[in-house]
Amino acid sequence: MIVSDDTGFGDLGPYGGGEGRGMPTPNIDKMAASGMTFFDFYAQPSCTPGRAAMITGRIPNRSGMTTVAFQGEGGGLPAAEWTLASVLKLGGYDTYFTGKWHLGEADYALPNAQGFDVMKYCGLYHLNAYTYADPTWFPDMDPKLRAMFQRVTKGALSGRTGEKAVEEFKINGQYVDTPTINGAPGVVGIPFFDSYVEKAAVGFLDDASKSDKPFFISVNFMKVHQPNMPAPEFEHKSMSKSKYADSIVELDTRIGRIMDKLHETGLDRNTLVFYTTDNGAWQDVYPDAGYTPFRGTKGTVREGGNRVPAIAVWPGKVKPNSKNHDIVGGLDLMATFASVAGVALPDKDREGQPTIFDSYDMSPILLGTGKSERTSWFYFTENELSPGAARVGNYKAVFNLRGDDGQSTGGLAVDSNLGWKGPSKYVATVPQVFDLWQDPQERYDIFMNNYTERTWTMVTISDAIKQLMQTYVKYPPRKLQSQSYAGPIEISKYEQFQWMRDQLSKEGFTLSMPTGN
């Protein structure tokens, strides 16, 4: 499993990017030519929930992993959650993790406590978090605050199951590569971090080739999260010579080296490789950001924040140069990996309580024997229990207009690409509805317009949401692991809280239909 960060749908060659956008991706192009490219593959709209969804197979609000965590906050992925690694351990797999984690910093939340036999060069935060304590980045920061960041920011961690993780080196925002200084842990700058991730992955594959045991390795590059600082050997190696494009070239090269090692060791003949990214392009930080042809950005429930690149390679199993348009996503890796490994998904969590997965087995798609059983996708931002948008078949209803910055809705709406900077703004009764086959950019609201009306689409969409909400009654969500400000706690909302709990337990969740146009 190879995961990059914040990579845009339109950045890579198989999706119309690559050389055509000044950033060749020959290695990723080769993966697509030898495997399956997904065009309706969904992530979550930001890093932590995106990674939580992939590794648990559960909608992030079930695990409490809905919000990006900062250093010093503690907490993280609950110990009771199953992960890809802990499930595959049930099937006798060796498990290994390297690179970006972003699922908490408490000991119980680290990879070596979450089913991974070994974690190597694990980065706990989003990339720019490593610049906070750097006076050259933020010279105006209060010295006491800088001292706090210097104290609580953990560097690259390594360790085995049952051991206390050790800090291999600090990470900062400079062009420095000194992992050890006088025999003690040193400092590695952002530009060099992914070289250590590559080194760890290649080293693991060398070792795995000498063993008969099956393995699962999760490789997580920091590229191309802002701030993009390409390693020196990749500076100006892209055609456009921008930092982002150079970093895409670096990402592609490092992925290519891992694929080359698989081939060199002969492991590729019996290994499923799955590449994707954690969320949609972060348009807010353009030009240091990926490109998406879709509306919206990271942090919104629009397609641009959620639809991402994904490629599967499995020689002799996945048909070369195949393309798939089923509704699938990172949530489905859990059921898929368990299926191909011959492991049954548990019905109780790791503490013995009933649990539910939101994961569908994609192996029929991969093997060419059938289609995905998934027919819907639910989109969430940080504080949503009911989805901010929902897709059933080719129709999508949008309730949370975040990112539109107060612009008029409908076909003439201009999306200003505000993600987290844009407020959540919910429609009343009548959502926006889009046909994602004919209008994947969500430009033309067809719920009610002067040509026709698609109010009937809400019959299936409302039913799908109702069924989802009923699962929260039987399987309550865990406590949020990291909270952001979501507006004032109003007296009326406080008084409604117990009423809402009672209603959910008695009647489930309903969305009333509009009475007409």
Side-chain angles (χ1 to χ4, degrees):
M1 177 179 172
I2 303 174
V3 181
S4 59
D5 207 327
D6 286 8
T7 309
F9 189 94
D11 290 341
L12 310 177
Y15 295 89
E19 185 174 345
R21 294 200 49 249
M23 49 184 93
T25 56
N27 296 292
I28 293 174
D29 296 355
K30 184 178 178 180
M31 290 180 70
S34 58
M36 178 176 287
T37 304
F38 294 86
F39 290 88
D40 284 72
F41 191 92
Y42 287 96
Q44 306 295 315
S46 66
C47 301
T48 294
R51 292 167 189 276
M54 281 190 280
I55 205 164
T56 66
R58 284 157 49 84
I59 292 171
N61 59 26
R62 296 195 193 277
S63 60
M65 301 298 291
T66 63
T67 306
V68 171
F70 290 82
Q71 57 266 55
E73 289 188 328
L77 189 65
E81 289 288 329
W82 287 100
T83 67
L84 292 172
S86 54
V87 167
L88 290 174
K89 288 297 293 179
L90 300 177
Y93 275 66
D94 283 338
T95 54
Y96 188 94
F97 183 93
T98 182
K100 179 177 177 177
W101 179 241
H102 214 180
L103 295 174
E105 57 185 2
D107 287 345
Y108 66 79
L110 298 181
N112 66 337
Q114 291 283 352
F116 288 97
D117 298 321
V118 177
M119 55 185 271
K120 186 71 173 176
Y121 305 130
C122 177
L124 299 185
Y125 321 109
H126 51 290
L127 197 58
N128 44 353
Y130 295 102
T131 68
Y132 295 162
D134 192 328
T136 63
W137 280 80
F138 302 105
D140 59 331
M141 183 181 288
D142 182 277
K144 292 181 180 178
L145 181 58
R146 178 175 296 114
M148 184 277 290
F149 277 124
Q150 290 172 339
R151 183 178 68 256
V152 302
T153 304
K154 299 176 182 177
L157 299 181
S158 296
R160 295 180 176 274
T161 298
E163 297 178 353
K164 177 77 173 177
V166 298
E167 188 177 61
E168 299 251 15
F169 49 75
K170 293 288 186 183
I171 305 170
N172 70 8
Q174 303 299 316
Y175 272 84
V176 56
D177 186 16
T178 54
T180 58
I181 300 175
N182 298 324
V187 181
V188 170
I190 286 171
F192 299 93
F193 182 79
D194 278 351
S195 67
Y196 289 87
V197 177
E198 176 198 320
K199 175 184 175 182
V202 169
F204 172 81
L205 294 176
D206 271 328
D207 292 339
S209 68
K210 303 179 181 70
S211 169
D212 292 330
K213 288 192 68 177
F215 67 86
F216 167 58
I217 177 173
S218 179
V219 184
N220 299 263
F221 290 109
M222 289 284 194
K223 295 288 190 302
V224 279
H225 193 290
Q226 179 263 354
N228 279 287
M229 300 172 68
E233 65 267 32
F234 294 100
E235 288 186 282
H236 297 167
K237 289 299 187 291
S238 68
M239 295 154 64
S240 69
K241 306 192 186 316
S242 70
K243 289 184 176 181
Y244 185 86
D246 290 347
S247 295
I248 284 285
V249 171
E250 177 182 345
L251 172 67
D252 177 78
T253 301
R254 299 199 187 284
I255 290 175
R257 290 171 182 166
I258 292 172
M259 297 301 290
D260 288 345
K261 176 58 68 171
L262 265 177
H263 181 70
E264 173 193 319
T265 57
L267 291 170
D268 61 322
R269 294 191 293 270
N270 190 32
T271 300
L272 166 62
V273 179
F274 204 98
Y275 161 75
T276 189
T277 189
D278 54 356
N279 49 252
W282 193 4
Q283 297 283 281
D284 287 354
V285 294
Y286 180 84
D288 196 15
Y291 165 75
T292 176
F294 304 116
R295 183 173 181 172
T297 174
K298 176 180 178 178
T300 72
V301 296
R302 299 294 187 181
E303 294 296 286
N306 295 269
R307 206 187 295 197
V308 297
I311 300 170
V313 179
W314 196 4
K317 303 284 188 178
V318 173
K319 184 179 178 181
N321 202 32
S322 52
K323 297 173 175 61
N324 181 268
H325 296 275
D326 286 21
I327 301 172
V328 289
L331 285 168
D332 299 328
L333 295 178
M334 174 63 85
T336 305
F337 289 3
S339 175
V340 301
V343 179
L345 287 180
D347 58 6
K348 291 184 171 57
D349 67 19
R350 294 172 75 188
E351 294 178 349
Q353 298 302 309
T355 192
I356 186 174
F357 293 95
D358 303 288
S359 191
Y360 288 80
D361 181 9
M362 293 188 291
S363 62
I365 298 174
L366 299 175
L367 300 172
T369 60
K371 295 180 70 65
S372 170
E373 293 184 4
R374 178 185 290 285
T375 58
S376 61
W377 189 265
F378 303 105
Y379 309 70
F380 297 87
T381 55
E382 302 89 342
N383 202 37
E384 292 175 328
L385 184 64
S386 60
R391 174 181 180 177
V392 176
N394 55 304
Y395 289 105
K396 176 181 180 180
V398 179
F399 307 96
N400 182 356
L401 307 184
R402 183 186 206 171
D404 286 351
D405 196 29
Q407 300 299 322
S408 300
T409 62
L412 299 179
V414 177
D415 184 4
S416 58
N417 275 329
L418 293 178
W420 286 307
K421 291 186 286 188
S424 292
K425 183 182 67 171
Y426 292 91
V427 297
T429 306
V430 180
Q432 294 181 347
V433 170
F434 304 94
D435 181 346
L436 293 182
W437 282 351
Q438 297 190 57
D439 178 27
Q441 292 177 312
E442 300 172 84
R443 296 176 64 194
Y444 304 105
D445 178 6
I446 58 173
F447 191 73
M448 295 178 181
N449 63 20
N450 60 3
Y451 167 66
T452 185
E453 53 89 18
R454 293 289 194 280
T455 55
W456 55 265
T457 58
M458 288 306 297
V459 174
T460 54
I461 292 174
S462 295
D463 184 63
I465 295 173
K466 177 181 178 180
Q467 292 182 44
L468 170 70
M469 296 308 296
Q470 287 174 340
T471 67
Y472 290 106
V473 178
K474 185 175 182 181
Y475 305 98
R478 302 190 195 279
K479 178 182 180 296
L480 290 179
Q481 297 301 298
S482 176
Q483 297 188 41
S484 58
Y485 183 68
I489 300 175
E490 299 168 348
I491 296 173
S492 59
K493 288 182 180 177
Y494 173 77
E495 292 175 345
Q496 288 170 357
F497 178 70
Q498 187 59 48
W499 176 86
M500 179 64 74
R501 290 186 62 177
D502 292 342
Q503 286 296 107
L504 281 173
S505 62
K506 291 176 184 177
E507 302 177 16
F509 182 86
T510 60
L511 282 178
S512 59
M513 289 292 295
T515 56
N517 55 0

